Amino acid sequence: MKLMVNDGYVAVLSENGAFARVLPPGRYTLPSWPWSPVYKATLVDLRERSTTIKNQEILTADKVSVRVSLLIYFKVFDPKAALTHVTDFESRIYEDVQLAARRFLATQTLDQILKDRNELSDAIRTDVTASAKTYGVEILRADVKDLVFPGNLREIMNRVIETERAAEAKLIDARSRAEVALLDARAQVVTLEERLRADRQQLELLAQNPLMLRMKELEVLREIGLKGGNQFHFGMEKLPAK
């Protein structure tokens, strides 16, 4: 009996119905004499593979029916356990993932599911990993492929999303207006401070120079005189009325 095991596979060899050994990739010749044991070789693929868990109808904690499809990546690390511990390890993966998804979604509200779909993937992977190891399979990754809601719920969700986007746009516009107003107010404060600083410097200069103060007074009087209808008395006391 000749046997060829290609790369990426191993052969689980049994003798007279009992496990004998695992054959790595290579070419083998097994004895086939009348007195030889009855050999059976089963090929096991050790490469990373994926399987899709399609259209699982699940009721959430708030009684919303969702349909979810999951993509599971896995590989066999113990070919003997994969063949002897369960009847069909791929069917067992399907069942384990299906039950894990139902257990998790039954504890989550729709809002929680929508906020973080990765949480669903992580919860399923964590739940299934321990079980899969018992039959020689490693769960590498679990991803949510599709998450479908009832038609009327999708319309409501779309409206909610549109409302949230409009509210966000209004908030951004209000923030922009507030920032512009704040910048204008700051500019006005800076201008006022500059004017006060200039007036203070001018007052200090006038206090230090009496002559300049006198000239300033004359300028003021001149401006008043130009308006007309004013009388000024310099160095004279007002005579009492007769």
Side-chain angles (χ1 to χ4, degrees):
M1 176 181 177
K2 295 185 182 299
L3 176 66
M4 178 71 74
V5 181
N6 295 324
D7 283 338
Y9 293 81
V10 294
V12 178
L13 184 67
S14 63
E15 296 180 4
N16 296 328
F19 171 77
R21 61 186 182 276
V22 176
L23 302 177
R27 183 177 179 181
Y28 300 90
T29 300
L30 302 175
S32 58
W33 303 106
W35 57 84
S36 299
V38 177
Y39 292 103
K40 180 181 179 181
T42 304
L43 293 176
V44 179
D45 191 345
L46 299 184
R47 297 171 298 177
E48 179 180 331
R49 287 180 283 167
S50 66
T51 185
T52 301
I53 316 299
K54 295 182 179 179
N55 298 328
Q56 300 299 305
E57 288 278 353
I58 302 174
L59 202 63
T60 65
D62 50 354
K63 309 305 180 185
V64 176
S65 177
V66 298
R67 191 162 65 246
V68 62
S69 294
L70 302 163
L71 186 60
I72 309 299
Y73 296 87
F74 68 94
K75 69 177 181 179
V76 175
F77 69 88
D78 185 344
K80 177 188 174 184
L83 290 184
T84 60
H85 289 190
V86 290
T87 56
D88 183 344
F89 67 86
E90 291 195 48
S91 296
R92 179 62 181 274
I93 291 171
Y94 188 100
E95 293 170 358
D96 286 348
V97 172
Q98 183 185 51
L99 292 174
R102 291 184 180 278
R103 281 192 293 268
F104 179 77
L105 289 176
T107 65
Q108 302 291 300
T109 65
L110 178 63
D111 186 55
Q112 289 172 322
I113 296 169
L114 293 175
K115 283 181 179 178
D116 190 1
R117 291 173 56 168
N118 291 331
E119 188 178 359
L120 171 60
S121 301
D122 295 339
I124 292 172
R125 181 179 178 278
T126 301
D127 192 340
V128 176
T129 294
S131 174
K133 284 184 177 179
T134 63
Y135 49 89
V137 174
E138 180 183 4
I139 304 298
L140 302 174
R141 197 167 77 249
D143 293 330
V144 177
K145 189 174 181 181
D146 293 305
L147 195 59
V148 182
F149 308 99
N152 60 336
L153 184 60
R154 285 199 300 270
E155 293 178 5
I156 295 172
M157 287 171 56
N158 289 334
R159 291 176 186 173
V160 170
I161 292 172
E162 290 176 2
T163 303
E164 289 178 348
R165 287 177 178 172
E168 186 177 355
K170 290 181 179 179
L171 180 60
I172 292 172
D173 182 62
R175 285 177 178 172
S176 299
R177 292 175 181 271
E179 289 176 358
V180 171
L182 181 59
L183 291 174
D184 290 342
R186 287 177 177 174
Q188 292 177 8
V189 170
V190 170
T191 302
L192 182 58
E193 288 177 348
E194 290 176 350
R195 289 178 181 176
L196 290 174
R197 191 180 302 110
D199 291 344
R200 190 182 304 112
Q201 291 174 352
Q202 186 176 17
L203 289 173
E204 291 175 354
L205 185 61
L206 292 174
Q208 295 171 4
N209 298 274
L211 182 59
M212 186 176 293
L213 177 59
R214 183 59 179 166
M215 292 178 64
K216 190 70 175 175
E217 292 176 351
L218 292 174
E219 288 180 4
V220 173
L221 292 173
R222 178 177 177 276
E223 291 177 0
I224 295 174
L226 290 175
K227 295 180 180 179
N230 299 294
Q231 294 181 0
F232 301 96
H233 304 275
F234 297 96
M236 297 176 58
E237 293 185 359
K238 185 176 181 181
L239 297 177
K242 293 183 179 181

